[in-house]
Amino acid sequence: MAHLIKQSAVQADEWSQLARGADAEALTSATGKILVHVGDWLQHAASLADKDTQQIGIWFDSDDEPEHLGENCQRFALIAVNFPAFTDGRGYSIGRLIRERYRYQGELRAIGDVLVDQVFFMKRCGFDAFALREDKRVEAALDALKAFSQTYQGAVDNPIPLFRRRLS
Amino acid sequence: MYRYDDYDHTIIQERVKQFAGQTQRYLAGELSGPEFLPLRLQNGLYVQRMAPMLRICVPYGMLSSVQLRRLARITRDYDKGYAHFTTRQNVQLNWPRLEDAPAILAELADVEMHAVQTSGNCIRNTTTDQFAGVTPDEIIDPRPYCELIRQWSTFHPEFAFLPRKFKIAVNACPDVDRAAIKVHDIGIQIVRNDAGEIGYAVLVGGGLGRTPIIASQIRDFLPEKDLLTYLEAIIRVYNRYGRRDNKYKARIKILVKALTPEGFAEKVEAEWQQIKAGPAHLTEAEIERIKQHFTLPAYEKFPGGSEALATARAESAHFSNWVARNVSAHRQPGYAAVTLTLKVLGVPPGDVTDTQLEALADLADRFSFSELRVTHEQNVVLADVREDDLYALWQTIKPLGFATPNLNTLTDVICCPGGDYCSLANAKSIPVAEAIQARFDDLDYLYDLGPIDLNISGCMNACGHHHVGNIGVLGVDKKGEEWYQVSLGGDSGLNASIGQILGPSFARDQMPDVIQTILDTYVEQRESEELFVDTFRRIGLKPFKERVYGASN
Ligand code: SF4
């Protein structure tokens, strides 16, 4: 199982992810905190109308568009973005859009092929939880989160680019 | 040139530390080969023919004498005593050991150098005119804008894993383009509008390789302070929608073509509207701060030009020829920009030894305010030489082999390392360049022909930019044998165009004759002072084709 890193510590994962393509039946029969693919949610939202939205999370694959959920993302307790391969960089843009454009404040989690040397970039793009692949060392990832003390461009973690800080 | 402050030093030093850790984890087996691959690429280390190479970044081609001497020392201590200037204004070490890479990067960091993002699927080194800041042609010095882009793109968290590599070039001359911006992923043409304000025409989707395409202009005038937000919008659209399923279709040019330039521009516009007023919008203060790094050196005043130069030219025809070819106009009266030729027979274009690097450093110190530039034609430029010193400079560099007066002529070949050095090659490229250089060694003939770009690549990857050579040569593989395809009419400048293939390819030993026939055709058909490329545009491929294939039948 992946190591879930949140607030510089490993935490238990309370969420169960439902595979893409889950039908209404699968969604309603799942119990506890469930992580639903954005496409399935958009299709079957009505069948989950009775469920507490704090028990529902949404996950995006790298080819999904955050525009489809828009600001509705704010209702959910968890949003996860899948990195099918660590070299697939679309998730970084998705993360920024969810935070910056759709002003999502809750937990934003990187899932999938999450390795040590990418978490710093993920953090900058708004991710605050990382499902580190299980063969990777947690301490190395915690170090990597602190790889740079300064950055040139603004991003989610610090929207003010260096050029605006340099002068103050 | 740009000097680091504490922030820049901190960032580059933290990078060195980060990569040392990554290398350690790789050597300890914690990182797999495929996982380490993009990390080392983004630190300039790539592997060819089993040995790693280290590509060192030279932002917009500028090097100080201190940096040159450090490079010389590094090639001695960690390599085989030579380095290679690439066609993208970078420097490459061909034989470093992976284990030494962190130490080399630390040595580079001491002199404000690095290898950040010189390879891999990220935003690469931004390139520009080798005469930036000194040419009378430009409307403004483009280097501060390149530096703004460099800082913004360095470790950009959103764009570290793009579908493919991404190259930006900037030009600030209205009538000439030495930066080849139309064959870059993004080309920025700095312009001034009717109100006198600085801004940019923005081009996207140019590129060479398997699918050569000339860039499309998607914006005619972008205001000066919108540079970074607009770049961010373009690259975000590319990052999200560029193809990732096929390496050969992953460059932005394929996306622009698929969406059409208009469709692509619309997507960029929609994205940009959302972010244009954000914190990445540039400030007057920042533009000024960066410009302060590119102020003019302490020029002396020379009213009325150099008498010494005129006298020396009158006395020596050789010197005068060299001045005519290798010395360029300067915005400061009494100064000139001098191109030193690095290409000599028997040595791969761009290769320089440690002692040559040190000689270049000495020349920069003595003649040009301790700075030098690397050109994409793999030569170097001393940008601020007093005209009074040109004769002394010429005499100093002649014995060093830096004064071949063939600049921009046929024998000033752009040539990739090819089959002698590169594992991807279909054919050798250097022997072709050498055979042509040996055949056409009569300078008067070369001068009569005028400027002709001859570009040679050993395979479809087009590192020798053969598509945009007036004469392009491409190595092809025919049943295990090395053959050469010739194209004509390419141009990397303002009127950029992709060359047209002449016809069936040739064996290596036919190449000098083929070139001779092409030149003969040009000489017969040209009108007065017409350039090769202009004659080609006027008469087309057919006369050349008939002569070459008629003649060889
Ligand atoms: S063009 Fe081909 S042969 Fe030449 S350097 Fe590039 S990859 Fe190698």
Side-chain angles (χ1 to χ4, degrees):
Chain A
M1 232 181 43
H3 315 280
L4 178 62
I5 298 179
K6 269 180 5 185
Q7 284 134 9
S8 309
V10 177
Q11 304 206 359
D13 185 4
E14 301 168 337
W15 293 84
S16 12
Q17 184 183 0
L18 301 185
R20 196 168 176 165
D23 56 18
E25 161 77 44
L27 294 180
T28 42
S29 60
T31 53
K33 295 183 165 180
I34 55 170
L35 189 53
V36 182
H37 179 257
V38 61
D40 300 333
W41 165 259
L42 290 169
Q43 206 179 338
H44 303 298
S47 56
L48 285 172
D50 292 341
K51 196 168 168 98
D52 176 4
T53 52
Q54 289 308 300
Q55 301 277 313
I56 303 173
I58 300 291
W59 71 274
F60 287 85
D61 216 336
S62 63
D63 60 351
D64 289 320
E65 314 221 356
E67 286 84 350
H68 291 159
L69 199 54
E71 294 193 348
N72 285 328
C73 66
Q74 295 168 10
R75 303 164 36 200
F76 299 98
L78 171 68
I79 291 198
V81 178
N82 185 41
F83 290 78
F86 76 95
T87 47
D88 183 341
R90 288 174 285 188
Y92 298 100
S93 291
I94 296 174
R96 281 192 80 171
L97 290 169
I98 288 171
R99 288 284 195 215
E100 292 175 344
R101 189 147 310 158
Y102 302 118
R103 300 193 299 278
Y104 173 69
Q105 306 282 336
E107 176 183 335
L108 182 61
R109 187 186 291 185
I111 60 174
D113 202 23
V114 178
L115 314 182
V116 168
D117 296 285
Q118 286 69 40
V119 293
F120 181 78
F121 290 144
M122 290 171 175
K123 177 185 88 170
R124 294 219 64 209
C125 289
F127 293 89
D128 55 2
F130 312 90
L132 185 70
R133 213 174 69 189
E134 66 181 337
D135 59 325
K136 296 298 169 192
R137 259 195 319 123
V138 170
E139 303 72 52
L142 292 175
D143 278 349
L145 281 168
K146 295 177 291 196
F148 292 92
S149 61
Q150 292 294 342
T151 51
Y152 284 116
Q153 57 300 98
V156 179
D157 60 340
N158 183 357
I160 307 303
L162 181 57
F163 71 78
R164 285 176 186 271
R165 285 178 276 136
R166 233 171 192 150
L167 291 160
S168 58
Chain B
M1 62 198 279
Y2 185 76
R3 299 307 310 260
Y4 285 14
D5 65 6
D6 288 347
Y7 290 106
D8 302 298
H9 274 296
T10 302
I11 290 170
I12 292 306
Q13 271 151 16
E14 287 175 344
R15 172 58 150 201
V16 170
K17 204 171 125 224
Q18 180 195 40
F19 187 60
Q22 291 169 338
T23 307
Q24 232 167 35
R25 278 186 285 126
Y26 168 67
L27 294 172
E30 259 186 68
L31 273 171
S32 72
E35 288 164 7
F36 185 55
L37 176 76
L39 307 179
R40 70 167 163 72
L41 288 177
Q42 301 211 1
N43 278 284
L45 271 163
Y46 65 104
V47 173
Q48 261 186 14
R49 294 237 150 141
M50 308 313 287
M53 304 206 190
L54 178 65
R55 194 181 287 148
I56 299 161
C57 187
V58 183
Y60 26 94
M62 295 202 62
L63 283 168
S64 69
S65 55
V66 173
Q67 292 173 328
L68 281 162
R69 290 197 182 93
R70 179 59 62 97
L71 283 172
R73 201 178 87 195
I74 289 173
T75 67
R76 261 196 304 274
D77 292 352
Y78 299 97
D79 205 306
K80 298 187 177 174
Y82 71 95
H84 177 80
F85 289 128
T86 76
T87 52
R88 285 203 82 254
Q89 298 182 310
N90 288 319
V91 178
Q92 208 159 282
L93 300 180
N94 286 342
W95 310 98
R97 295 179 340 133
L98 174 63
E99 294 76 2
D100 290 335
I104 297 174
L105 294 177
E107 294 234 14
L108 290 170
D110 283 350
V111 292
E112 307 186 1
M113 294 188 81
H114 58 75
V116 172
Q117 292 170 209
T118 53
S119 189
N121 296 335
C122 50
I123 305 171
R124 304 285 189 86
N125 187 21
T126 299
T127 51
T128 190
D129 190 345
Q130 67 263 32
F131 298 124
V134 301
T135 172
D137 303 338
E138 73 193 8
I139 61 166
I140 195 168
D141 185 348
R143 294 171 300 170
Y145 302 92
C146 295
E147 177 60 24
L148 285 165
I149 296 171
R150 183 191 75 80
Q151 297 195 10
W152 162 80
S153 63
T154 298
F155 312 134
H156 197 300
E158 190 179 341
F159 304 137
F161 294 92
L162 295 171
R164 204 71 176 86
K165 57 188 169 185
F166 202 92
K167 300 175 181 178
I168 304 175
V170 182
N171 179 37
C173 300
D175 302 318
V176 51
D177 175 14
R178 283 175 288 256
I181 67 168
K182 290 186 178 171
V183 290
H184 277 77
D185 295 293
I186 294 181
I188 311 249
Q189 176 75 41
I190 302 183
V191 293
R192 205 183 275 285
N193 68 6
D194 293 340
E197 297 155 341
I198 290 292
Y200 323 91
V202 182
L203 294 88
V204 295
L208 301 175
R210 269 156 219 261
T211 320
I213 300 181
I214 301 297
S216 308
Q217 187 155 321
I218 58 165
R219 197 166 189 96
D220 301 333
F221 187 84
L222 179 73
E224 186 180 27
K225 298 196 183 96
D226 291 318
L227 178 65
L228 302 182
T229 53
Y230 198 74
L231 289 177
E232 190 140 316
I234 294 175
I235 302 178
R236 179 172 288 169
V237 169
Y238 170 57
N239 188 42
R240 295 185 65 192
Y241 302 109
R243 284 182 63 170
R244 291 173 184 268
D245 58 331
N246 180 340
K247 172 176 172 199
Y248 299 113
K249 298 198 174 352
R251 295 290 287 265
I252 194 175
K253 60 191 174 187
I254 306 292
L255 178 65
V256 172
K257 209 169 129 192
L259 296 174
T260 74
E262 298 72 34
F264 182 82
E266 264 171 45
K267 265 193 168 338
V268 170
E269 183 67 25
E271 180 58 41
W272 184 55
Q273 288 302 329
Q274 303 271 350
I275 59 174
K276 62 187 271 195
H281 187 78
L282 283 165
T283 58
E284 198 64 51
E286 173 65 357
I287 294 173
E288 268 316 304
R289 185 186 77 85
I290 300 277
K291 280 185 180 169
Q292 287 311 310
H293 287 276
F294 299 92
T295 48
L296 301 179
Y299 291 127
E300 293 164 56
K301 296 259 181 298
F302 293 99
S306 165
E307 230 171 84
L309 172 61
T311 317
R313 286 192 76 165
E315 280 169 9
S316 163
H318 287 305
F319 174 64
S320 193
N321 268 337
W322 174 78
V323 172
R325 307 291 141 194
N326 297 27
V327 175
S328 311
H330 201 286
R331 58 149 54 138
Q332 180 74 17
Y335 281 82
V338 178
T339 304
L340 309 186
T341 51
L342 289 185
K343 298 169 203 170
V344 281
L345 270 181
V347 179
D351 275 9
V352 278
T353 64
D354 56 339
T355 43
Q356 281 180 315
L357 285 167
E358 278 159 354
L360 290 170
D362 293 344
L363 290 169
D365 280 342
R366 185 167 157 210
F367 291 103
S368 193
F369 298 97
S370 302
E371 284 177 8
L372 164 156
R373 291 119 182 261
V374 185
T375 79
H376 85 269
E377 294 93 353
Q378 300 172 287
N379 291 315
V380 300
V381 167
L382 295 176
D384 295 293
V385 181
R386 300 189 328 176
E387 287 186 336
D388 283 349
D389 290 342
L390 283 174
Y391 190 73
L393 171 63
W394 179 65
Q395 285 190 311
T396 315
I397 64 177
K398 254 195 315 178
L400 299 171
F402 296 154
T404 317
N406 69 336
L407 215 63
N408 301 327
T409 68
L410 181 75
T411 56
D412 182 25
V413 182
I414 295 186
C415 177
C416 81
D420 293 300
Y421 301 90
C422 171
S423 55
L424 303 171
N426 286 326
K428 293 186 180 180
S429 49
I430 291 166
V432 178
E434 290 178 352
I436 293 168
Q437 283 163 335
R439 165 75 72 94
F440 301 98
D441 63 345
D442 176 354
L443 283 173
D444 288 330
Y445 179 62
L446 292 176
Y447 296 163
D448 176 63
L449 292 172
I452 297 181
D453 296 335
L454 172 62
N455 296 2
I456 308 176
S457 304
C459 79
M460 291 293 272
N461 287 321
C463 304
H465 305 170
H466 64 278
H467 299 111
V468 289
N470 301 158
I471 301 175
V473 176
L474 166 66
V476 290
D477 176 277
K478 269 216 259 181
K479 301 198 188 90
E481 279 179 53
E482 300 187 358
W483 288 72
Y484 298 89
Q485 184 184 73
V486 174
S487 56
L488 299 181
D491 183 351
S492 64
L494 221 49
N495 301 309
S497 57
I498 303 295
Q500 299 171 31
I501 295 167
L502 186 62
S505 47
F506 306 97
R508 191 186 305 156
D509 57 6
Q510 290 178 291
M511 286 306 293
D513 288 338
V514 170
I515 301 294
Q516 182 71 68
T517 312
I518 291 167
L519 296 174
D520 289 347
T521 314
Y522 157 60
V523 170
E524 283 159 28
Q525 301 266 358
R526 72 176 160 188
E527 290 174 353
S528 62
E529 301 281 281
E530 202 173 41
L531 298 182
F532 177 87
V533 67
D534 293 330
T535 303
F536 177 84
R537 283 183 179 139
R538 182 170 54 77
I539 67 175
L541 193 65
K542 203 160 160 256
F544 292 97
K545 204 176 171 127
E546 284 172 1
R547 273 296 287 278
V548 171
Y549 293 100
S552 62
N553 277 341

XYZ file of all heavy atoms in Angstrom, chain B residues 416-419 422 424-427 457-464, ligand 1:
108
model
N 26.281 18.528 -37.536
C 26.101 17.818 -36.277
C 27.255 16.832 -36.094
O 27.988 16.573 -37.041
C 24.761 17.102 -36.271
S 24.807 15.528 -37.146
N 27.415 16.243 -34.911
C 28.531 15.302 -34.711
C 28.431 14.063 -35.614
O 29.460 13.482 -35.978
C 28.418 14.920 -33.243
C 27.669 16.041 -32.605
C 26.717 16.546 -33.655
N 27.204 13.650 -35.957
C 27.028 12.572 -36.924
C 27.595 11.231 -36.494
O 27.918 11.007 -35.327
N 27.696 10.351 -37.472
C 28.033 8.954 -37.209
C 29.380 8.715 -36.544
O 29.615 7.637 -35.988
N 27.820 10.038 -32.768
C 26.457 9.994 -32.263
C 25.819 8.645 -32.600
O 25.859 8.197 -33.745
C 25.644 11.138 -32.885
S 23.902 11.013 -32.532
N 22.768 7.798 -32.753
C 21.508 7.821 -33.483
C 21.706 8.001 -34.984
O 20.772 7.881 -35.765
C 20.630 8.965 -32.960
C 20.339 8.924 -31.461
C 19.653 10.203 -31.009
C 19.479 7.721 -31.125
N 22.931 8.292 -35.394
C 23.182 8.696 -36.777
C 22.856 7.599 -37.784
O 23.022 6.411 -37.514
C 24.642 9.104 -36.923
N 22.377 8.030 -38.962
C 22.272 7.144 -40.111
C 23.574 7.146 -40.895
O 23.875 6.212 -41.626
C 21.178 7.613 -41.070
C 19.804 7.331 -40.513
O 19.607 6.337 -39.827
N 18.870 8.210 -40.800
N 24.270 8.264 -40.820
C 25.460 8.436 -41.648
C 26.404 9.418 -40.979
O 26.000 10.201 -40.119
C 25.060 8.967 -43.026
N 23.040 17.276 -41.286
C 22.610 16.440 -40.151
C 22.835 14.977 -40.498
O 22.608 14.572 -41.636
C 21.121 16.621 -39.862
O 20.775 17.949 -39.632
N 23.198 14.206 -39.499
C 23.445 12.782 -39.714
C 22.199 11.922 -39.622
O 22.237 10.725 -39.893
N 21.066 12.523 -39.215
C 19.798 11.774 -39.195
C 18.637 12.753 -39.071
O 18.823 13.957 -38.927
C 19.766 10.746 -38.057
S 19.414 11.446 -36.442
N 17.424 12.183 -39.083
C 16.182 12.961 -39.022
C 16.068 13.899 -37.828
O 15.242 14.801 -37.825
C 14.999 11.993 -38.930
C 14.738 11.207 -40.155
S 14.201 12.299 -41.439
C 12.444 12.278 -41.092
N 16.856 13.654 -36.779
C 16.730 14.523 -35.611
C 17.178 15.949 -35.899
O 16.888 16.865 -35.134
C 17.490 13.953 -34.424
C 16.764 12.751 -33.863
O 15.544 12.749 -33.796
N 17.501 11.722 -33.513
N 17.913 16.113 -36.979
C 18.160 17.453 -37.527
C 18.957 18.370 -36.618
O 18.746 19.574 -36.621
C 16.827 18.107 -37.920
N 19.883 17.815 -35.845
C 20.714 18.673 -34.981
C 21.547 19.643 -35.809
O 21.970 20.683 -35.319
C 21.625 17.836 -34.092
S 20.723 16.656 -33.094
N 21.825 19.292 -37.064
C 22.567 20.202 -37.944
C 21.652 21.158 -38.701
O 22.115 21.880 -39.581
S 21.207 14.882 -36.267
Fe 21.151 12.734 -35.734
S 23.243 12.088 -36.081
Fe 23.321 14.267 -35.934
S 23.755 14.672 -33.775
Fe 21.535 14.772 -34.070
S 20.869 12.746 -33.512
Fe 23.054 12.565 -33.919
